[in-house]
Amino acid sequence: MPAGPDRVAETSECESESPSENERARPATSRRRVLSATAAGSATALAGCTELLSSGGDPLRVSVWSGNYADRFEESVVSRYEDEFDATVEIQRGWNDILTNIQTAPDGDPPYDVTITEGNFYYLGRQDDLFHEIRTENVPNVNELIDYYAEFRPTKYGLPVDGAPCTIIHREDMGFEPDSWADLSSAAVQESNGVGVDTGFWWYPMYAAAVGMDDAPLGEEMHDAARHDDVLETVRNWPIESWASSGEDIWQAFQNDVIDVAQWYYEQTAYDIEDYDGLTHTMPEETTGYLNHWCVVKGTDKRDQAEEFINFLMDAEVQTAWSAEMPTLFCNENTEYAGDLAADLPSNSEEAKRIAFPDWEFLAEYSDDLSDEFTEIQRSS
């Protein structure tokens, strides 16, 4: 996940949804109500439909995260899809503008046909009725999802494809290897040059702190409002010297000897860290992270092709090849990770359950206050 917004995107009249209610959508709202945004079977499975869905006409417009995510996605995924389906894909890079672009577009004329969303964007987009329901009969690869990813978050309006856990970047010569989030509170880290954390997505440093506290099972402190002050105090006591809004900020802080340790994202770290002398990273056994749900944008005239594209992203062979270009966790149970990625990334439900993914069904009610408190920690550091 490249750069991020300074604040969480929020909507007015945002109601919490209950997974037990089968993800019922609230009534549609006008696309012109602006978000406050500061925050496939394989080709073989759909061979009979390929020419009908994909050839000719306007390109399929796909919104993805900016930065190296988009670069690697275009190189490893888009070209393969275009070759196999005789189609054209137009990649549109973005971040905190993705939801607002959809929200402010004229009815029936969305800016994208398919969009990526992490947990927060997926929650807010569902609340504002921005996505079509996924017709699973058009996405047969849904049957190959790792069970946990199919169950822990609603999939009615978007399907889980990829994501990344948070990892700990640190100097090789520290004489100490931080291998858990509790180590960011250790004397060795307190005596180091300092720590770097993501400032745009405040919830990941907070979840990392909660996982390290270990007062409740795997970050559940974040799902108990009475414990939020304790989590904030843990973050406040970290020796944070770099508040990063992108991977470049983190690498620069290391190069400038500002920090010795950082919280960052595996998919931006594992293949890039070899470019930086004296740095390594350690994946905690229990961590936090994000998961991307891919959605069909309401109003598109390419709904069939959009579902075809999402099905393609979910294909095990596609994800296996994708992993050679991007060290991302994938959700198909038959994906075979490139190199030694499987040592760090989950391949089944039991391993996936060791990642504390933010629960926005709960967290949305407290996000404004938590964001304000996190910002205040940054200002006073």
Side-chain angles (χ1 to χ4, degrees):
M1 199 161 27
D6 293 329
R7 299 272 300 184
V8 181
E10 293 292 352
T11 62
S12 61
E13 302 175 358
C14 186
E15 299 174 359
S16 177
E17 297 175 271
S18 169
S20 64
E21 295 178 355
N22 196 28
E23 187 61 7
R24 290 193 294 270
R26 65 179 194 172
T29 57
S30 169
R31 289 190 186 279
R32 293 188 179 278
R33 185 164 64 81
V34 180
L35 291 168
S36 171
T38 46
S42 60
T44 301
L46 291 179
C49 303
T50 300
E51 184 174 355
L52 173 65
L53 296 180
S54 301
S55 60
D58 296 331
L60 184 73
R61 299 161 303 164
V62 179
S63 174
V64 301
W65 308 132
S66 298
N68 61 7
Y69 186 100
D71 294 339
R72 289 167 171 164
F73 183 82
E74 195 158 10
E75 292 167 4
S76 59
V77 177
V78 171
S79 59
R80 181 180 178 125
Y81 175 80
E82 290 179 331
D83 289 346
E84 291 190 12
F85 288 84
D86 189 24
T88 301
V89 173
E90 178 183 294
I91 292 298
Q92 299 193 26
R93 302 169 182 235
W95 197 243
N96 61 321
D97 55 347
I98 289 176
L99 292 186
T100 52
N101 287 346
I102 299 172
Q103 191 73 25
T104 58
D107 289 338
D109 187 21
Y112 326 114
D113 304 301
V114 179
T115 189
I116 194 170
T117 67
E118 49 75 53
N120 178 248
F121 282 16
Y122 183 46
Y123 174 82
L124 295 172
R126 297 194 321 267
Q127 294 294 308
D128 282 278
D129 195 30
L130 301 186
F131 311 133
H132 278 300
E133 292 184 20
I134 298 291
R135 300 170 299 183
T136 53
E137 64 270 22
N138 292 338
V139 192
N141 283 323
V142 72
N143 297 316
E144 297 184 20
L145 279 175
I146 291 173
D147 288 342
Y148 182 70
Y149 297 134
E151 297 166 358
F152 92 103
R153 185 178 286 161
T155 58
K156 187 173 182 179
Y157 296 95
L159 290 174
V161 173
D162 63 310
C166 287
T167 189
I168 302 175
I169 306 175
H170 53 95
R171 295 193 188 277
E172 294 177 318
D173 62 0
M174 282 185 67
F176 166 70
E177 180 180 356
D179 60 7
S180 75
W181 295 110
D183 287 335
L184 270 64
S185 300
S186 68
V189 173
Q190 292 289 333
E191 294 167 3
S192 72
N193 281 335
V195 172
V197 301
D198 185 2
T199 187
F201 290 84
W202 52 263
W203 47 94
Y204 296 114
M206 288 194 65
Y207 269 84
V211 171
M213 288 167 60
D214 202 24
D215 293 335
L218 193 63
E220 283 298 310
E221 293 91 342
M222 288 297 293
H223 306 146
D224 179 354
R227 296 175 182 261
H228 287 171
D229 285 345
D230 294 336
V231 178
L232 287 161
E233 187 64 17
T234 299
V235 175
R236 189 175 289 110
N237 289 332
W238 287 348
I240 300 175
E241 296 293 338
S242 175
W243 300 85
S245 62
S246 70
E248 284 303 310
D249 290 344
I250 287 293
W251 302 125
Q252 195 64 54
F254 275 110
Q255 290 180 308
N256 292 343
D257 293 327
V258 173
I259 59 174
D260 288 333
V261 180
Q263 164 264 327
W264 208 247
Y265 305 96
Y266 192 94
E267 58 92 0
Q268 289 189 63
T269 300
Y271 285 177
D272 292 342
I273 200 164
E274 63 187 24
D275 296 333
Y276 301 91
D277 293 337
L279 297 182
T280 187
H281 76 105
T282 303
M283 256 287 295
E285 184 175 347
E286 293 186 338
T287 188
T288 184
Y290 70 91
L291 190 68
N292 294 323
H293 281 64
W294 290 74
C295 305
V296 179
V297 180
K298 185 162 283 190
T300 176
D301 61 357
K302 297 182 177 63
R303 188 176 179 185
D304 288 345
Q305 188 184 359
E307 289 172 337
E308 171 194 84
F309 184 77
I310 293 173
N311 191 59
F312 174 82
L313 298 182
M314 297 175 69
D315 183 77
E317 289 187 7
V318 171
Q319 293 187 359
T320 295
W322 191 353
S323 73
E325 301 296 331
M326 186 183 296
T328 296
L329 72 79
F330 291 105
C331 297
N332 189 308
E333 63 185 359
N334 297 312
T335 296
E336 297 181 6
Y337 286 109
D340 57 0
L341 295 181
D344 288 335
L345 300 176
S347 298
N348 55 54
S349 290
E350 289 306 307
E351 294 172 355
K353 290 177 182 177
R354 295 201 290 265
I355 302 174
F357 295 105
D359 178 2
W360 284 99
E361 309 295 336
F362 174 86
L363 205 59
E365 180 180 351
Y366 306 98
S367 62
D368 278 349
D369 290 341
L370 290 172
S371 178
D372 288 343
E373 292 287 346
F374 190 84
T375 300
E376 184 56 35
I377 293 173
Q378 180 181 357
R379 287 174 180 160
S380 61
S381 66

